[in-house]
């Protein structure tokens, strides 16, 4: 049996041999909910991508599996006036503050992406990371379109209706604007109650 339309999934004869050639994007940030979504995706969706290739082929780019793109968005740096003690506010020249803030953002991004790549490697899933800068909602949708991914997977912060109305929801925005199917992994009920 073979599914057509982009060559996404092929199921061949012989003891359940499967071959999945899909480009999947997982949006990650510093929240545990995004890592919960990645773990869920690795356990429930992406595990079929490693079934036909050897572990070395999956990790190093050969083999017959699909590809996972881990996308992380760094926030845009905004220049501001910073209060200093009781004397009032002081405006630091952008180069002084901007350099240290950007360095801290880059270190945090590398740490987040490294953790996600390690999770993929442990499951023998071939993955590449992408770090972008800008509004997460727009950047994720642009990346989906430019990379022509077959599926976008992201976590949901589980905002209530009022918070979602005022703060906006990245997953809700992407669900309406991304040019690919989207799978939103909601937090487990017991995890959501703890927050």
């Amino acid at each position: 049996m073979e599914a057509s339309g982009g060559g996404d999934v092929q199921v061949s004869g012989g003891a359940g041999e499967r071959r999945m050639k899909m480009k999947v994007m997982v949006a990650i940030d510093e929240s545990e909910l995004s890592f919960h979504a990645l773990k869920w995706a690795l356990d429930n969706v992406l595990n079929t991508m490693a079934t036909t290739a050897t572990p070395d082929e999956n990790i190093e780019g050969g083999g017959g599996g699909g590809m996972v793109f881990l996308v992380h968005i760094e926030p845009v740096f905004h220049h501001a006036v910073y209060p200093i003690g009781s004397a009032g506010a002081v405006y630091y020249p952008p180069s002084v503050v901007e350099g240290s803030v950007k360095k801290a953002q880059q270190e945090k991004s590398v740490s987040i992406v490294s953790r996600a790549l390690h999770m993929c490697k442990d499951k023998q899933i071939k993955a590449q990371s992408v770090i972008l800068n800008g509004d997460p909602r727009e950047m994720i949708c642009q990346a989906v379109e430019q990379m022509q991914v077959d599926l976008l997977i992201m976590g949901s912060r589980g905002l209530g209706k009022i918070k979602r109305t005022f703060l906006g929801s990245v997953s809700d925005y992407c669900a309406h604007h991304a040019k690919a199917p989207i799978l939103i992994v909601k937090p487990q009920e017991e995890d959501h109650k703890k927050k």
Side-chain angles (χ1 to χ4, degrees):
M1 182 167 82
E2 195 170 323
S4 61
D8 295 78
V9 179
Q10 298 177 7
V11 180
S12 307
E17 179 186 335
R18 287 187 238 158
R19 186 171 182 174
M20 187 176 242
K21 286 191 175 188
M22 252 179 116
K23 288 199 290 187
V24 176
M25 179 179 290
V26 180
I28 56 170
D29 60 19
E30 69 277 355
S31 74
E32 284 304 312
L33 295 172
S34 72
F35 283 96
H36 170 71
L38 175 59
K39 183 183 180 327
W40 188 93
L42 289 170
D43 292 342
N44 297 289
V45 176
L46 305 173
N47 61 355
T48 60
M49 292 168 57
T51 58
T52 59
T54 66
D56 291 337
E57 288 175 326
N58 274 324
I59 294 169
E60 296 174 11
M67 173 59 74
V68 177
F69 294 99
L70 302 168
V71 65
H72 173 71
I73 313 297
E74 290 181 346
V76 177
F77 177 77
H78 296 286
H79 302 288
V81 175
Y82 300 94
I84 304 275
S86 60
V90 174
Y91 179 78
Y92 284 102
S95 61
V96 173
V97 175
E98 188 172 355
S100 63
V101 170
K102 283 187 175 183
K103 183 178 178 187
Q105 281 181 342
Q106 289 170 347
E107 289 172 358
K108 187 175 187 179
S109 295
V110 167
S111 172
I112 291 167
V113 168
S114 294
R115 179 180 171 195
L117 286 169
H118 185 54
M119 289 173 67
C120 293
K121 185 177 180 181
D122 286 348
K123 294 285 188 172
Q124 299 177 345
I125 300 294
K126 181 172 49 171
Q128 290 183 359
S129 62
V130 180
I131 299 175
L132 303 171
N133 197 297
D135 179 349
R137 297 174 300 180
E138 294 174 9
M139 296 308 296
I140 291 170
C141 290
Q142 286 177 17
V144 164
E145 190 171 357
Q146 289 173 356
M147 295 178 189
Q148 299 177 347
V149 298
D150 299 307
L151 178 65
L152 170 62
I153 299 174
M154 54 193 322
S156 172
R157 289 193 299 169
L159 295 176
K161 289 181 182 181
I162 294 174
K163 284 184 181 177
R164 189 170 44 241
T165 301
F166 288 108
L167 298 176
S169 166
V170 175
S171 57
D172 187 53
Y173 181 90
C174 292
H176 289 93
H177 295 92
K179 303 262 190 232
I182 180 170
L183 188 142
I184 299 172
V185 180
K186 294 199 174 216
Q188 293 176 342
E189 197 61 38
E190 59 272 5
D191 292 341
H192 186 59
K193 287 180 182 178
K194 290 178 187 176
K195 301 198 188 280

